[in-house]
């Protein structure tokens, strides 16, 4: 690699190390030649996310202009134009090496643009439309890098895993998202549990949940669990050298749901985290598991009396 390309991969790796600790740990279990490409995709998604989330020192118009400019430089690079950017050379190189679907990247950038103007989602289908670009396509971007014995069969589980990971983040980060004037819990779900946005804001201010909010969070956990269940068949289909990585990521992100349940579904008192000791234990078990071993579904048992989701539109939980 030339110096600029190597520096771009290093920049992506550093973004991953600093901001994606759980996934970064899992990526360390991949063959060395694959890691840089996973770092490149993480760097791409993280940098775009940082543009739209940096609300402290930039106005919405400024963030929109920055996203438009960065997207234009990325698209120009896809067309073969020289790119002056600290990380895009690595992203463009990874896309070329694996012939990744350009439409996935366009869908991702569309969802990032939605974060500049959309502050809530009326229904779960509306939220799924957003997550199609922000999460599901990340699964399909990753699949060619991870490799699979049956890419066609592994495609939908890869999409579902992206959805599971992002919904887990939405559940854990309700307070953080409210700080950006966003809610990713559907309005219809809030209404079903008698919860308003003002109730959520009061919980943030008091650092304490209410019984209705806790039931709402427990309900959303069942949604995430359904996505994990749909993703599970795909991991044994991955290339043997990629399975330990994704077993670890699967278990650790699912472990966040365990932590949410352990604190009584109160996501306001403290941020749910998986301990360092558990992270290392999970990684060790993943390394020892023979290739093709089914994964264990993560997360707590559903709270008694709450509905359990069935599968609806396009195979997604509803």
């Amino acid at each position: 690699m030339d110096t600029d390309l190597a520096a771009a991969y290093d920049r992506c790796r550093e973004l991953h190390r600093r901001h994606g600790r759980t996934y970064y740990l899992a990526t360390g279990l991949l063959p060395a030649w694959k890691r840089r490409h996973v770092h490149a995709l993480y760097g791409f998604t993280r940098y775009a996310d940082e543009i739209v989330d940096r609300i402290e020192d930039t106005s919405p118009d400024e963030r929109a202009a920055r996203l438009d400019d960065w997207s234009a430089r990325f698209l120009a690079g896809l067309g073969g134009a020289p790119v002056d950017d600290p990380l895009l050379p690595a992203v463009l190189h990874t896309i070329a090496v694996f012939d990744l679907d350009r439409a996935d990247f366009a869908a991702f950038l569309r969802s990032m643009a939605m974060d500049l103007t959309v502050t809530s989602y009326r229904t779960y289908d509306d939220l799924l439309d957003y997550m199609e670009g922000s999460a599901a396509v990340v699964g399909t971007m990753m699949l060619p890098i991870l490799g699979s014995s049956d890419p066609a069969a592994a495609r939908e589980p890869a999409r579902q895993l992206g959805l599971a990971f992002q919904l887990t983040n939405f559940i854990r980060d309700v307070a953080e998202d409210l700080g950006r004037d966003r809610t990713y819990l559907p309005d219809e779900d809030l209404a079903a549990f008698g919860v308003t946005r003002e109730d959520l804001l009061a919980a943030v201010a008091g650092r304490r949940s209410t019984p209705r909010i806790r039931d709402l969070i427990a309900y959303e956990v069942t949604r995430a669990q359904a996505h994990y269940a749909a993703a599970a068949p795909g991991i044994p289909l991955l290339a043997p050298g990629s399975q330990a990585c994704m077993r670890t990521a699967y278990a650790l992100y699912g472990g966040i749901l365990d932590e949410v349940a352990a604190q009584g579904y109160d996501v306001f008192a403290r941020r749910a985290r998986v301990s360092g000791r558990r992270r290392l234990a999970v990684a060790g078990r993943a390394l020892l598991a023979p290739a093709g071993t089914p994964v264990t579904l993560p997360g707590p048992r559903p709270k008694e009396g709450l509905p359990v989701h069935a599968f609806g539109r396009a195979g997604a939980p509803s």
Side-chain angles (χ1 to χ4, degrees), residues 160-242:
Q160 292 291 333
L161 192 58
L163 297 172
F165 286 175
Q166 183 157 71
L167 190 53
T168 299
N169 286 340
F170 288 162
I171 291 167
R172 179 193 62 193
D173 296 336
V174 174
E176 184 177 327
D177 291 328
L178 281 165
R180 300 187 179 104
D181 194 32
R182 299 182 201 143
T183 52
Y184 293 105
L185 306 183
D187 294 340
E188 66 178 5
D189 292 357
L190 269 67
F193 285 88
V195 174
T196 65
R197 178 178 277 217
E198 288 70 29
D199 294 332
L200 296 177
L201 290 169
V204 173
R207 298 183 60 84
R208 186 175 182 181
S209 193
T210 66
R212 288 182 177 180
I213 295 176
R214 289 196 293 271
D215 282 346
L216 168 66
I217 296 299
Y219 179 74
E220 300 303 340
V221 166
T222 71
R223 287 196 192 277
Q225 288 173 317
H227 286 297
Y228 281 106
I235 292 179
L237 297 176
L238 296 176
S242 297

Side-chain angles (χ1 to χ4, degrees), residues 87-165:
L87 61 83
L88 282 180
V91 180
L92 295 167
H93 182 255
T94 291
I95 292 171
V97 168
F98 293 94
D99 192 24
L100 300 183
D101 189 346
R102 275 66 168 168
D104 285 346
F105 292 85
F108 176 79
L109 291 171
R110 170 184 172 269
S111 287
M112 292 301 96
M114 290 173 67
D115 272 336
L116 294 169
T117 58
V118 180
T119 59
S120 64
Y121 295 86
R122 187 177 66 84
T123 69
Y124 193 57
D125 277 353
D126 293 335
L127 183 62
L128 281 172
D129 181 60
Y130 167 80
M131 291 199 297
E132 172 65 26
S134 64
V137 300
V138 176
T140 55
M141 290 176 193
M142 282 285 298
L143 188 56
I145 300 171
L146 296 173
S148 174
S149 60
D150 190 345
R155 178 179 172 83
E156 184 57 27
R159 288 168 39 79
Q160 292 291 333
L161 192 58
L163 297 172
F165 286 175

Side-chain angles (χ1 to χ4, degrees), residues 34 49 55 108 117 181 199 201 205 227 253 260 277 282 298:
K34 291 188 178 187
D49 200 47
I55 63 173
F108 176 79
T117 58
D181 194 32
D199 294 332
L201 290 169
H227 286 297
Y253 272 93
V260 169
R277 177 177 294 182
V282 165

Side-chain angles (χ1 to χ4, degrees), residues 10-32:
D10 284 343
R11 170 65 172 158
C12 291
R13 181 187 60 79
E14 180 60 17
L15 280 174
H16 198 173
R17 185 188 68 81
R18 288 172 54 196
H19 298 288
R21 292 188 305 165
T22 296
Y23 195 25
Y24 186 81
L25 170 66
T27 303
L29 303 180
L30 284 173

